[in-house]
């Protein structure tokens, strides 16, 4: 199922995003839990998208005929 590097990076990125989001919401003690939740999700999804997109581009470039 997760044989391609793109799928592996996507799965790993999503797991890391969920963990970081959960930790930041639990640690937010000043009443800004929703703001922390949104910010963590946004940053996590942006980073996951950037890494997955970069891996996808590299994989396409390597498999393209010269």
């Amino acid at each position: 199922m997760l044989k391609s590097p793109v799928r592996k990076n996507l799965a790993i990125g999503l797991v890391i995003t969920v963990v970081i989001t959960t930790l930041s919401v639990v640690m937010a003690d000043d009443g800004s839990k929703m703001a922390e939740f949104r910010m963590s999700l946004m940053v996590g999804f942006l980073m996951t998208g950037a890494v997955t997109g970069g891996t996808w581009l590299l994989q396409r470039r390597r498999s393209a005929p010269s």
Side-chain angles (χ1 to χ4, degrees), residues 7-18 44-45 47-48 52:
R7 287 184 182 171
K8 286 180 186 176
N9 284 344
L10 182 60
I12 291 168
L14 291 175
V15 168
I16 291 172
T17 299
V18 168
F45 286 146
M47 293 303 294
T48 299
T52 304

Side-chain angles (χ1 to χ4, degrees), residues 9-25 36-49:
N9 284 344
L10 182 60
I12 291 168
L14 291 175
V15 168
I16 291 172
T17 299
V18 168
V19 170
I20 295 293
T21 302
T22 303
L23 287 175
S24 64
V25 168
E36 285 291 329
F37 178 74
R38 286 184 184 144
M39 182 61 78
S40 295
L41 276 182
M42 185 173 60
V43 170
F45 286 146
L46 284 173
M47 293 303 294
T48 299

